């Protein structure tokens, strides 16, 4: 009897490492999601920072006692696109003599008005008050005495140019402001201080 032998081809069976592939896919998807989230967050930050508001740190004592050294505030950059700055607003602006520096001061007089610093007090002359009116500065201690400076000397009525603002620090004795170096052009105003977020004890809207 003839014996026949059937050749059987043996093939290697390879199993796909599904667990490893699944993990790699998850890691890849995680990084894609992270990248998308980062890009969106960066775009939102740029939009907010350049057009809506920006954080600023108060440096120095020129705005004591209302804004102290080291405090952090948010500056609203959109309001003045909708309306004109107002007397009493606390603004952040580019220092006219060195535009790379940001200053924080309070608006005291508006474009076209006249300012008189007399016996430590501030008087404003405008179309509504042609004979002058003493400025009520309820945000300052009653003992504050306001001297004049080179640009706005005491006992002399001085005109605020059009499209510019006369500003002073709340700490009149230790503030370099419009009295010394002149007014702030409107185009140099970055925005209005609206919110203080540091320190926590001072957290809240700026009054």
């Amino acid at each position: 009897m003839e014996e026949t032998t059937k050749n059987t081809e043996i093939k290697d069976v390879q199993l796909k490492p599904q667990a490893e592939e699944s993990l790699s896919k998850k890691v890849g998807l995680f990084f894609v999601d992270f990248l998308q989230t980062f890009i969106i967050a960066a775009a939102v930050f740029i939009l907010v920072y350049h057009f809506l508001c920006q954080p600023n740190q108060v440096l120095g004592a020129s705005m004591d006692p209302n804004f102290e050294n080291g405090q952090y505030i948010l500056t609203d950059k959109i309001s003045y696109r909708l309306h004109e700055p107002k007397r009493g607003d606390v603004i952040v602006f580019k220092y006219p003599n060195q535009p790379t520096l940001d200053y924080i001061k309070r608006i005291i007089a508006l474009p076209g008005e006249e300012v008189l610093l007399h016996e430590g007090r501030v008087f404003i002359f405008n179309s509504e008050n042609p004979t002058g009116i003493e400025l009520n500065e309820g945000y300052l201690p009653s003992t504050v005495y306001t001297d004049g400076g080179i640009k706005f000397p005491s006992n002399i009525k001085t005109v605020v140019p059009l499209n510019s603002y006369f500003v002073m620090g709340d700490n009149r004795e230790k503030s370099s402001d419009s009295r010394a170096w002149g007014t702030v052009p409107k185009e140099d105003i970055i925005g209005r201080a609206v919110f203080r977020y540091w320190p926590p004890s001072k957290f809240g809207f700026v009054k």
Side-chain angles (χ1 to χ4, degrees), residues 58-69 71 88-91 103-107 139-140 168-172 174-175 177 193 196 206:
V58 178
L59 298 176
S62 72
M63 287 298 289
D64 282 353
N66 297 308
F67 296 86
E68 299 174 358
N69 181 54
Q71 293 183 347
D89 286 355
V90 176
I91 62 171
Y103 271 23
I104 178 172
K105 305 292 178 185
R106 191 182 298 273
I107 293 179
Y139 41 81
L140 297 180
M168 287 195 288
D170 290 349
N171 187 355
R172 299 291 159 79
K174 296 183 179 180
S175 174
D177 49 42
R196 180 169 21 218
V206 172

Side-chain angles (χ1 to χ4, degrees), residues 31-68:
F31 280 107
V32 170
D33 288 342
F34 175 81
L35 184 60
Q36 289 177 339
T37 302
F38 176 80
I39 292 174
I40 293 173
V44 170
F45 174 80
I46 292 172
L47 176 66
V48 169
Y49 187 85
H50 285 282
F51 298 102
L52 300 180
C53 66
Q54 74 177 45
N56 288 99
Q57 183 183 18
V58 178
L59 298 176
S62 72
M63 287 298 289
D64 282 353
N66 297 308
F67 296 86
E68 299 174 358

Side-chain angles (χ1 to χ4, degrees), residues 3-11:
E3 182 178 357
T4 60
T5 304
K6 185 177 180 181
N7 292 327
T8 304
E9 184 179 355
I10 301 176
K11 296 183 178 179

